[in-house]
Amino acid sequence: MMQTNHPYSAYQVRKSLIHFIFGKGATAIIGIALLLFVVRALPVNDYGIYIALLAVLEITQLASNLGLFAAAYRYVPELRSQNKGAALHSLLLRLSALRLLTLIAAVAIMGLLSTPIVALLNIKTYEQVFVLYGMVIVSEGFARYLDILFDSLLLQKYSQISSLIRNGLRLIGLVILMASVVGDISLINWVKVELLASCIGAITSALILFTYSFNLKKKSPGLKGESVKPNKYLVFAGPSYLAQLIGLAYGPETTKLILTKISGVLQVGAFGFAASFSAMLQRYLPVFLLLGLVRPLFVSTHNLADRNMRLNQLANIVLKLNLFVLFPLIAFMLASGDQLASLLSGGKFPDAGSFLVILMVLLVFQTWHAVLGLVTLALEDGTSGLYGTVLGLLGLFAGVAFLPKFGAYSLCVGLIISEMMWCGYVLLSLYKKGMKLKNDWLGTGKIFIFSLVALLVAELSQQLFQAPQLLAICSDLIIIGVVFTYLAYRIKPFTNDERNLINKILPRPVFVW
């Protein structure tokens, strides 16, 4: 294990994890409140438009990054692990400035083309809102990129502060709007709240990051002239960016825009609500929740003699941890998805339950995608993901082909097919390049069987006892949770080595499965 003073030692990971747990806990509460309040505060049509705007934000984030995400993920941890403070300070300045410029350029183009864009999306009456939301894209996008830099530096304390400021201000602003208006609030007023919150968050993050960076430069400057060479950046970040760009074509955000154009805001509202709920769950799955922590750990293996073995071990643990959470959640959605969707949306989107189940299955393959992406990142392999993304376009074509017959469901299944094809190709490509990832199928199978048994017990309980909606949902959640965790405790799906490694990172050795 690395020394205590190493930037990515177990001690530093544990310290960052403590900040992370408290920060994410507060953010989770605020995020759930925002999700429930926004869907109730906005009119149904406006909520559908807002979902489309969120999709535009996410697409613009990826389309405009020009490989800057990959550069932050890969080269910031490398320089930090080698204590090259001067080179790191220079890199952080360049990356931040370039990110702000790319966002401004993208939004400027969107502003010039706003009339045809809103016409294409069938939301012509919302052009003013669309243009204003462009400013949110710049400020929120820049704040998110600074969060990526914080995560790559293992500074969870600061990334959580930034997130809490932005989301906390959003929640406060929304509550004030709801208290001052009779009935539904207007979309443009909500967008103004988002703009103010994201601007304050971005400015705060920038001040924190550059103060830290400047102090690190003075404390541990490293050798002069050390920096990431442009050709090294282009060889890795270039293909990674192209993969992200092509991958936009079959992402959930593109699905929202297709539905906005073809099916209207009501259909996109139901799908968008389910997608927002699924995205919230995704953020709190271990691989996504702890992405800022585990990504530097994957990258920091690049100089180790047993790198491939360590990568395989890390990949297995991260994948199984996610499935350990995800499979029981899928069981719960199968048992109570429709009732949960109706309850959370205030009865506006009772048919979103089916979307929830399908999107939860999608999360399984997105988790696998994320884990394989971490491996290719550590290996500086940008081409495997690129070719896998091109192959994944076939899923989009299949979804669109069956859209007239099956509606939004065909697009959802198309997303799953795309992810399956991406994962299959990347796994094969890594194998050909000498990286043999061996999955623990026995442990994964145990997690699946335990979830299936828990679902059957919950279904039997529903047949024996009829209960009101809220009580039935809580009952299913408790039954599935108790049955699954008990079986996992008795017949452990994780090996002794995996449990020991997990407990080394946790503040207390509480992981017993």
Side-chain angles (χ1 to χ4, degrees), residues 14 16 51 121 164 176 216 338 363 402 413 418 422 449 488:
R14 190 181 302 115
S16 188
I51 291 297
L121 296 176
L164 282 171
I176 292 173
L216 183 64
D338 288 335
L363 280 180
F402 290 97
V413 174
S418 295
W422 189 95
I449 292 172

Side-chain angles (χ1 to χ4, degrees), residues 94-277:
R94 293 201 305 272
L95 290 178
S96 301
L98 286 171
R99 184 61 187 132
L100 186 58
L101 287 174
T102 57
L103 284 166
I104 292 173
V107 169
I109 294 172
M110 289 168 53
L112 292 173
L113 300 176
S114 62
T115 300
I117 291 176
V118 295
L120 179 65
L121 296 176
N122 287 335
I123 55 173
K124 294 180 181 179
T125 57
Y126 289 85
E127 183 173 357
Q128 182 183 2
V129 177
F130 180 83
V131 172
L132 180 63
Y133 198 75
M135 299 175 66
V136 176
I137 292 175
V138 173
S139 55
E140 178 67 17
F142 186 58
R144 290 188 188 184
Y145 190 70
L146 296 180
D147 286 347
I148 289 174
L149 295 177
F150 283 133
D151 289 344
S152 297
L153 292 165
L154 215 58
L155 298 176
Q156 287 293 330
K157 174 182 178 180
Y158 299 133
S159 64
Q160 296 310 313
I161 288 174
S162 173
S163 181
L164 282 171
I165 288 173
R166 300 199 307 275
N167 290 324
L169 289 175
R170 285 188 179 98
L171 182 58
I172 292 171
L174 180 59
V175 170
I176 292 173
L177 281 179
M178 294 174 68
S180 60
V181 175
V182 178
D184 296 328
I185 67 174
S186 67
L187 180 57
I188 194 165
N189 284 336
W190 170 234
V191 170
K192 290 176 181 177
V193 169
E194 287 229 72
L195 177 59
L196 178 62
S198 58
C199 283
I200 294 175
I203 293 170
T204 303
S205 295
L207 292 173
I208 293 173
L209 178 65
F210 297 124
T211 299
Y212 167 84
S213 176
F214 183 74
N215 291 334
L216 183 64
K217 177 184 176 181
K218 292 192 297 183
K219 180 181 178 181
S220 305
L223 298 177
K224 293 184 178 181
E226 294 179 336
S227 61
V228 179
K229 297 179 180 179
N231 62 332
K232 185 179 181 182
Y233 164 81
L234 291 174
V235 167
F236 170 67
S240 297
Y241 170 65
L242 286 176
Q244 289 177 335
L245 202 59
I246 297 171
L248 285 174
Y250 58 81
E253 311 308 328
T254 302
T255 301
K256 295 174 187 176
L257 296 184
I258 293 174
L259 289 176
T260 303
K261 171 65 177 177
I262 297 176
S263 303
V265 294
L266 293 179
Q267 182 74 19
V268 79
F271 173 81
F273 172 75
S276 296
F277 186 79

Side-chain angles (χ1 to χ4, degrees), residues 49-100:
I49 300 298
Y50 179 60
I51 291 297
L53 291 176
L54 289 176
V56 171
L57 182 148
E58 299 298 340
I59 289 172
T60 306
Q61 296 304 302
L62 286 177
S64 66
N65 84 85
L66 299 181
L68 295 173
F69 287 2
Y73 295 149
R74 182 62 183 80
Y75 300 116
V76 169
E78 180 177 321
L79 292 178
R80 182 66 187 99
S81 66
Q82 297 169 4
N83 286 317
K84 298 177 179 178
L88 179 60
H89 177 71
S90 176
L91 180 63
L92 291 173
L93 287 176
R94 293 201 305 272
L95 290 178
S96 301
L98 286 171
R99 184 61 187 132
L100 186 58

